[in-house]
Amino acid sequence: MTFTDWLPTLMIFLPLLGSLLLLVTPKTFRDEVAGFIAALTLGAGLAIWRGGGSELFRWDWIPPLGITYSVQLGGVSLALALVTAFMSFIAILYAARRIPNPGPMLSLILAMETGLIGIFAAQDLLLFYVFFEDALIPALLMLAIYGKSGRMAALTKFAAYTLFGSLLMLVSIIGVRYIGGSPTFAMTDLKQHLVQGSAQTWLYLGFLAAMAVKLPLWPMHAWLPDFHEQNHDSGIPDVMGTLYKVGGYGLFTFAIPLFPDASLELRPILMGLAAFTALYAAWIAFGQTDWKRLLAYAGLSHMGFVALGVFSLNETAVIGAMYLLAFQNLYTGALFLSVGMLQERIGSLDTRVGGVMTQAGALGGLTMALWFASIAVPGMAGFIGEFSILLGAYQVSPWLAFIAGVTTIGAAAYALTAFQTTFWQARPAGSVAVRDLVHTEWLILALPLAVLVLFGVYSAPALNLMQPAVRAVLTALGGN
Amino acid sequence: MLQPPDVSLTPLLPVLIILAGAVSSTLLGFWVSRRVLTFINLGAVTLSALSLGLLWNGAASAFGGSLQADNAALLLAFVILTGTLMTLLVTLDTAWRARVSFPEFDAMLMYAVTGCLLIAFSGDLIVLLIGLEIMSLSGYVLATLQGSRRAEESGLKYFLLGAAGSAVLIYGIAFVYGATGSLNYAAIAEKTSVLNPENTAILVGGALLMLCGFAFKVALAPFHQWTPDVYGGAPTSVSLFLSTVVKVAAFAGMLRVFSGALENAPGWHSVLAVLIAATLIVGNLAALRQLNFKRMLAYSAVAHTGFLAMALLGTPQAGGAALTYYLLVYTLMTAAALAIVAALQRGEEGMSIPDLRGLYYRHPAYAVALAVCLASLAGLPPFAGFFGKYLVFQAAFQNGYEWLSILAALTSVAALVYYLRPAMLLFMPDRTPAREYGLGQRTPTTLTVALGVVGVTALGLLPNIWYSWVANPAIWTLLVGQ
């Protein structure tokens, strides 16, 4: 057992340890401890990346039930774990300054980070489920403690949708093992004991229920806008919520290898749903006057793209989907934080404030740059993702690719309209003076932007990381 | 030549220790205070639990197989004793507030536990019935002991419905005896493995009547109507006892009878599946509408009955292990949740759900503990409730009840909503004055709560510390003894 075998486990549980540590840390050092733990986690992730990803680590967790603790961080999972660690660090940086008495929030961010990295690292179906549910609890608590007046309804909706899906997935998980006859829930064993025939389709549908809620895919998306709208103004819970969109990843890592025939069979329907989700969300986003709801629907639209890429089962498209999934977290997360900064200054989340740019040029400029990343302007990471998805999906279904392509125009429309009415136009008479970015706020918006530009211009490191993993997964389809 | 009866006291040891506690409570009550008695009984429970270890793997039996101290009995007895220990600790703090602080309370409680243990140790239907009646009669008294209208009403309701349930059960026992010519589990199992067509109708009738009788005792819909009123009306420490220990014992009896003696009898599986489906729907949907937290926990106990009973649909090997694991977890989390209610309520009717708002800022430890219990009840990992749920889903799924697993999954969504609402309210900031009893936080109750919370967390992270004991299939193939 070498140290590198332990690195993924360390990366998963370090934040949770920090979260518990915060409960006993004196108030004066809390921010520093939280920041240090988050940075350490990111460092562990970078160390794994430098080593070229980790090997599969397996330990029999509950032998009589065939449940193993199998974790591996490599390829797509490593990329997503790195993004999670990075954005958690940014969120902590902002929370420490913005929220008065931030103890519980910092604890929850770290606890959620553990759940999220665990989701990406898990190579055992039941372990995946455990982390999947674990990430839910801090998300709910953030909403409960820091939410707005309508939070109870939002919370119930969020939990009910999520659990509806994941409990059906649990039944599917049990079925995958027993009908297939695998000795354990570890992916390596399950892949050798695939379920055949119509049972595979039924189990896939159970699995899909959970992922469609998380993605979210129309018509399972109704929880999303309320969840974001009712969360704390600062946007920190929203960043964590954005990271929680693991549906695309779950479909990619588990659904394609375990249900290859069913994936091919249902491909046209699911691609259609995904394309529709992308277009529909962009259309709804256009009508929003609340920044958070707008961002929620924009995120939904991006997720439609991700789903289109994954469901198309085409190598280029799947790589694009994973690329978009990783970097969407960066720009949408950073945009939520910029909305939080805007709210702090003008006390409103309305998109028709007007004239902010005249006094807060840096905030406006960085926000605009992040929006460019979001609407897939070339030179930003979002472009590579969306373009690859469209390129790959076109080879499978040109018409659906065309519908999804229209979304990019819609995205430009809703983003620029909202940006224009908030940051440009005339400043209303008698409005308060708006302070520009101060201290760490610069870092909080500029760091994600720098990463986005870096990987938009020089995508090779990320693509090299993802490509072998995607190829390995797609071989399950038998050289499609 | 008269055959001397097969009397052996060693297998009876755990039961006898508890009985000694009960008898000493009855007699010593004239001289010492109830607090002293409770400590004596706590000692008796601990001793009894230790004696279980003594009998482990011994497969001892007495009275010609009428009493079985096999591993199945010992495991179930351990769960019963855990629940009893938690109840006793809670009564140390709350009995005087609930106006049930007199020696008879302890005596009745210990008699009830004696009955519960007898059920777990039963090797034939007569011992089962004796245990069930001791348990039920003591339970009726416990529910009525507090001199209030609500308690009397709930006790009377419990008594009338319970008596009807017992009558149906006895009728069922008679039928089974008529069909097989024996009351012994092993003999019944042997007879039913090769079915005689002319007696099948009587056997099926007997099995179904017994199922109805047990359905009363464990509160399977539509025989559950007494539960919310009794659990809600009785003093909270009694509700705690009834919803954990008594229910565990009734399930122990069901496991013995249905997964053991009547395993091969036809008919009852599908009826039980329908009853479970009804219970899952009724229990979960009714709990959704409750405003009183204690009543909500009562309905949640009904809903959990549905989950627990799913284990009986599995094979005895998978089902027995799943049921015993779930029962321990269920006892820990329900007892801890009700212990917190008992400590913080202002009156015996419990607390309303909106009153829980902001509890975290007044009693942080209790609030976190209650949230953990609720998360575990809802079946969220990493708490043990998740593995309990998973095991029963798996047991039912493996034995061909996929539809029931899916139904259980769907009704769990409702369950999550009603557990979540109070759990989240605990953490919401609140500026109104506190509405709970301020001085309820005391050491023994805290100990109970800690036991429950540490238990569900440890069993959730490392389920094997309990599951490895119950997982051995050999234990459950020999449910009937021999």
Side-chain angles (χ1 to χ4, degrees):
Chain A
M1 195 62 53
T2 59
F3 179 65
T4 44
D5 289 338
W6 285 103
L7 265 179
T9 306
L10 182 77
M11 190 179 174
I12 296 169
F13 291 106
L14 195 63
L16 186 67
L17 225 66
S19 166
L20 297 175
L21 190 68
L22 279 191
L23 298 178
V24 293
T25 309
K27 270 189 180 170
T28 36
F29 300 118
R30 247 180 350 208
D31 307 350
E32 287 81 0
V33 170
F36 179 68
I37 295 280
L40 214 58
T41 312
L42 184 59
L46 291 172
I48 298 172
W49 194 14
R50 251 194 92 207
S54 79
E55 295 295 311
L56 182 68
F57 174 77
R58 179 170 164 164
W59 170 65
D60 284 334
W61 180 21
I62 314 166
L65 295 176
I67 301 171
T68 65
Y69 174 80
S70 306
V71 289
Q72 183 175 22
L73 280 172
V76 175
S77 60
L78 180 59
L80 289 166
L82 278 172
V83 167
T84 305
F86 179 72
M87 284 314 283
S88 304
F89 177 66
I90 297 278
I92 281 178
L93 214 59
Y94 188 46
R97 194 197 66 81
R98 166 76 196 265
I99 294 180
N101 191 13
M105 180 63 103
L106 296 174
S107 264
L108 290 172
I109 293 174
L110 287 173
M112 196 162 170
E113 192 184 349
T114 285
L116 290 165
I117 298 178
I119 289 173
F120 297 129
Q123 280 298 316
D124 177 287
L125 213 46
L126 214 88
L127 185 70
F128 171 72
Y129 183 85
V130 168
F131 281 123
F132 195 73
E133 299 289 283
D134 273 358
L136 177 70
I137 298 174
L140 289 172
L141 284 174
M142 274 183 205
L143 186 54
I145 299 177
Y146 293 98
K148 295 179 203 161
S149 55
R151 60 190 147 177
M152 207 52 179
L155 205 148
T156 311
K157 212 175 190 179
F158 172 48
Y161 268 92
T162 306
L163 264 273
F164 166 80
S166 56
L167 283 162
L168 286 179
M169 178 169 81
L170 182 62
V171 177
S172 268
I173 288 175
I174 294 171
V176 166
R177 180 177 159 205
Y178 282 98
I179 299 175
S182 160
T184 68
F185 284 104
M187 278 302 279
T188 42
D189 288 331
L190 287 174
K191 277 186 211 162
Q192 283 161 10
H193 298 82
L194 286 187
V195 179
Q196 303 297 336
S198 67
Q200 197 188 83
T201 311
W202 286 108
L203 294 172
Y204 183 44
L205 287 176
F207 208 84
L208 198 62
M211 297 305 158
V213 170
K214 277 288 147 61
L215 249 171
L217 199 63
W218 186 88
M220 313 288 254
H221 68 284
W223 59 271
L224 179 77
D226 294 352
F227 172 79
H228 284 301
E229 189 185 12
Q230 293 297 330
N231 254 319
H232 189 250
D233 287 328
S234 66
I236 295 155
D238 304 292
V239 174
M240 303 312 290
T242 312
L243 292 167
Y244 197 18
K245 288 186 184 124
V246 293
Y249 172 77
L251 285 170
F252 164 74
T253 335
F254 296 107
I256 297 177
L258 291 178
F259 316 103
D261 304 338
S263 311
L264 281 171
E265 190 186 334
L266 295 174
R267 175 161 73 177
I269 304 170
L270 293 175
M271 280 181 76
L273 262 181
F276 175 74
T277 305
L279 191 61
Y280 164 86
W283 171 253
I284 303 285
F286 190 70
Q288 297 304 316
T289 55
D290 178 298
W291 269 109
K292 281 204 172 179
R293 285 185 83 88
L294 177 89
L295 269 170
Y297 279 108
L300 179 58
S301 181
H302 295 136
M303 285 301 127
F305 261 97
V306 171
L308 183 73
V310 174
F311 289 139
S312 70
L313 305 176
N314 170 290
E315 189 185 314
T316 316
V318 175
I319 293 176
M322 292 301 119
Y323 204 84
L324 186 62
L325 190 65
F327 291 104
Q328 189 265 353
N329 285 332
L330 285 176
Y331 55 72
T332 309
L335 278 171
F336 269 118
L337 293 179
S338 98
V339 166
M341 292 174 190
L342 187 68
Q343 194 278 340
E344 190 186 4
R345 287 166 170 77
I346 58 178
S348 148
L349 287 168
D350 198 277
T351 56
R352 293 162 301 187
V353 183
V356 177
M357 194 67 137
T358 49
Q359 285 162 326
L363 176 64
L366 284 173
T367 306
M368 186 163 71
L370 285 166
W371 269 116
F372 283 157
S374 168
I375 60 176
V377 167
M380 305 284 220
F383 171 73
I384 294 173
E386 288 197 18
F387 184 71
S388 306
I389 291 169
L390 290 176
L391 197 65
Y394 184 82
Q395 293 165 27
V396 180
S397 167
W399 277 107
L400 289 174
F402 172 74
I403 293 175
V406 172
T407 309
T408 51
I409 303 169
Y414 67 70
L416 296 180
T417 313
F419 186 83
Q420 191 247 343
T421 50
T422 303
F423 286 91
W424 288 321
Q425 286 194 336
R427 189 96 183 101
S431 50
V432 288
V434 175
R435 182 164 45 91
D436 206 351
L437 295 182
V438 285
H439 311 304
T440 49
E441 285 178 339
W442 278 95
L443 279 180
I444 286 156
L445 295 186
L447 275 180
L449 186 65
V451 174
L452 286 167
V453 173
L454 177 67
F455 284 97
V457 178
Y458 181 53
S459 56
L463 286 178
N464 288 343
L465 189 62
M466 289 174 176
Q467 199 169 29
V470 171
R471 283 211 177 122
V473 164
L474 289 181
T475 50
L477 298 167
N480 173 62
Chain B
M1 180 68 183
L2 206 64
Q3 195 78 28
D6 165 31
V7 178
S8 153
L9 292 181
T10 331
L12 263 174
L13 198 60
V15 187
L16 288 178
I17 295 173
I18 295 292
L19 187 64
V23 172
S24 66
S25 302
T26 319
L27 297 176
L28 289 178
F30 293 104
W31 295 285
V32 299
S33 72
R34 195 198 71 94
R35 240 182 130 70
V36 176
L37 291 179
T38 310
F39 280 115
I40 293 174
N41 287 331
L42 280 169
V45 170
T46 318
L47 267 181
S48 175
L50 289 177
S51 73
L52 296 177
L54 205 71
L55 293 168
W56 181 252
N57 274 339
S61 74
F63 306 110
S66 293
L67 199 112
Q68 299 281 348
D70 53 5
N71 286 356
L74 299 176
L75 290 166
L76 291 163
F78 178 75
V79 180
I80 291 171
L81 291 174
T82 308
T84 312
L85 186 81
M86 294 174 90
T87 314
L88 283 171
L89 283 172
V90 171
T91 58
L92 269 181
D93 291 334
T94 55
W96 58 273
R97 269 175 61 209
R99 284 172 287 120
V100 289
S101 183
F102 26 83
E104 290 82 349
F105 181 80
D106 270 46
M108 277 303 150
L109 196 80
M110 293 302 273
Y111 281 122
V113 178
T114 312
C116 293
L117 288 180
L118 272 180
I119 297 173
F121 280 73
S122 67
D124 71 13
L125 291 170
I126 292 298
V127 175
L128 171 84
L129 189 66
I130 294 171
L132 207 66
E133 287 305 308
I134 298 176
M135 174 188 90
S136 304
L137 286 169
S138 320
Y140 306 147
V141 178
L142 280 175
T144 330
L145 215 50
Q146 186 195 47
S148 72
R149 269 192 77 88
R150 287 168 50 84
E152 277 159 21
E153 184 198 325
S154 76
L156 191 65
K157 211 173 234 168
Y158 191 22
F159 172 64
L160 289 175
L161 287 169
S166 290
V168 173
L169 187 73
I170 295 169
Y171 206 37
I173 290 176
F175 269 48
V176 171
Y177 180 74
T180 60
S182 177
L183 290 166
N184 188 279
Y185 294 158
I188 295 171
E190 201 182 312
K191 278 272 163 48
T192 50
S193 59
V194 213
L195 274 180
N196 180 356
E198 55 210 79
N199 285 342
T200 309
I202 301 176
L203 181 68
V204 170
L208 292 185
L209 283 171
M210 286 186 75
L211 186 60
C212 291
F214 271 116
F216 266 112
K217 299 286 173 200
V218 298
L220 274 171
F223 306 104
H224 71 288
Q225 266 104 353
W226 58 272
T227 351
D229 294 333
V230 173
Y231 291 177
T236 307
S237 47
V238 174
S239 315
L240 192 163
F241 183 72
L242 294 178
S243 62
T244 57
V245 179
V246 169
K247 183 172 275 186
V248 172
F251 266 111
M254 281 187 98
L255 191 65
R256 285 278 189 199
V257 172
F258 289 102
S259 294
L262 294 172
E263 197 210 337
N264 297 309
W268 62 267
H269 289 94
S270 43
V271 177
L272 180 60
V274 173
L275 289 185
I276 292 171
T279 308
L280 289 171
I281 294 170
V282 170
N284 281 310
L285 293 187
L288 207 50
R289 293 205 314 266
Q290 299 306 317
L291 279 177
N292 183 309
F293 189 57
K294 198 171 145 191
R295 256 183 103 79
M296 190 213 89
L297 284 176
Y299 273 108
S300 111
V302 175
H304 273 277
T305 304
F307 289 125
L308 285 161
M310 277 173 77
L312 296 170
L313 290 176
T315 57
Q317 292 84 340
L323 184 65
T324 317
Y325 179 84
Y326 201 155
L327 281 174
L328 180 66
V329 174
Y330 168 80
T331 300
L332 289 171
M333 58 200 185
T334 309
L338 280 167
I340 294 170
V341 175
L344 297 180
Q345 65 188 354
R346 277 179 175 267
E348 285 304 320
E349 56 278 5
M351 5 181 27
S352 79
I353 290 176
D355 284 354
L356 292 172
R357 199 183 172 96
L359 188 69
Y360 175 67
Y361 304 94
R362 301 188 292 268
H363 294 271
Y366 274 7
V368 170
L370 189 55
V372 169
C373 291
L374 289 168
S376 183
L377 282 165
L380 286 180
F383 303 112
F386 164 67
F387 280 106
K389 218 171 228 180
Y390 161 77
L391 285 170
V392 297
F393 281 16
Q394 178 184 295
F397 192 98
Q398 268 179 289
N399 224 9
Y401 290 93
E402 291 95 348
W403 66 274
L404 199 63
S405 310
I406 293 171
L407 181 77
L410 293 178
T411 51
S412 297
V413 179
L416 192 95
V417 171
Y418 64 74
Y419 288 125
L420 199 70
R421 209 161 32 190
M424 290 298 131
L425 274 174
L426 295 173
F427 296 97
M428 291 192 183
D430 179 34
R431 292 184 195 287
T432 53
R435 275 144 298 179
E436 68 268 352
Y437 182 74
L439 306 170
Q441 209 160 342
R442 283 154 192 276
T443 319
T445 307
T446 310
L447 211 62
T448 314
V449 174
L451 183 66
V453 169
V454 171
V456 294
T457 314
L459 287 175
L461 293 175
L462 297 167
N464 231 8
I465 46 183
W466 174 237
Y467 192 74
S468 64
W469 289 94
V470 302
N472 182 3
I475 297 174
W476 310 105
T477 46
L478 295 175
L479 265 179
V480 292
Q482 270 94 72

